Amino acid sequence: IILADPLKRALEYEEIFAQARKDSLTGLPNRFVFDERIGSIVEQANRHGRPLTLAALDLDHFKAVNDTMGHLMGDEVLKQVAEALKKQIRLTDLLVRMGGDEFLLVLPDTSMQDARFLAERLCVAVEELNITTDVGRLAVSIGLSEWKPGIDLNTWLERADDILYQAKANGRAQVAIN
């Protein structure tokens, strides 16, 4: 009986800690987990001379889903997209919902060429959800950037983001690389 309250508080703390690391809508890891893990992932790639590629993902026509079908449907679509993406990746990959309809995918031991193959599969997986809005079909644009030793983390993230916007500018629903 004496241990019941402290044990209950410890279990509640564990639950809160787990919730703080997970996107409540999709169940994916969140930005906190990305920030926590990216340093050691980069360090591993550097130490072992292994390739490391970052994919920045942004849904195309997601705003139209929210605007025409409502935010509850938008939430449902985000859950479906997260599931579709998760089915395509390895356990060693880190897929994070950064917020809104933006995701980051860290691909350890993955060259740019292999990342491109995966990214193209991700595009197909989202399109196969068959969600159509009045402005077009829900799709995903992806920018890929391979880690290069000596580059700082923020520059790498910005590069992936810039490449993502090239994919959007080139007509969406595609993969762009640096």
Side-chain angles (χ1 to χ4, degrees), residues 44-92:
Q44 284 285 102
N46 278 339
R47 183 179 309 139
H48 300 291
R50 305 293 303 155
L52 174 63
T53 303
L54 179 67
L57 297 81
D58 189 82
L59 296 180
D60 302 319
H61 307 304
F62 181 72
K63 184 180 181 326
V65 171
N66 275 336
D67 290 350
T68 61
M69 300 178 206
H71 289 277
L72 285 178
M73 184 57 176
D75 288 353
E76 195 52 45
V77 165
L78 286 172
K79 290 178 196 172
Q80 289 178 28
V81 167
E83 275 307 306
L85 297 175
K86 273 197 315 199
K87 286 179 182 170
Q88 298 297 320
I89 64 171
R90 305 167 299 186
L91 288 174
T92 54

Side-chain angles (χ1 to χ4, degrees), residues 94-128:
L94 176 61
L95 176 64
V96 176
R97 179 173 176 220
M98 294 302 277
D101 61 340
E102 295 179 18
F103 302 84
L104 282 180
L105 177 58
V106 183
L107 300 164
D109 291 317
T110 307
S111 67
M112 184 63 83
Q113 182 179 1
D114 290 339
R116 183 181 200 125
F117 290 139
L118 170 62
E120 287 169 358
R121 285 199 321 267
L122 296 175
C123 287
V124 170
V126 171
E127 285 184 32
E128 285 178 347

Side-chain angles (χ1 to χ4, degrees), residues 56-58 60 123 140-144 160-177:
L57 297 81
D58 189 82
D60 302 319
C123 287
V140 65
S141 293
I142 303 175
L144 296 176
D161 213 38
D162 290 345
I163 296 163
L164 164 65
Y165 285 101
Q166 286 173 21
K168 287 211 173 275
N170 292 339
R172 297 185 168 130
Q174 61 185 272
V175 179
I177 62 173

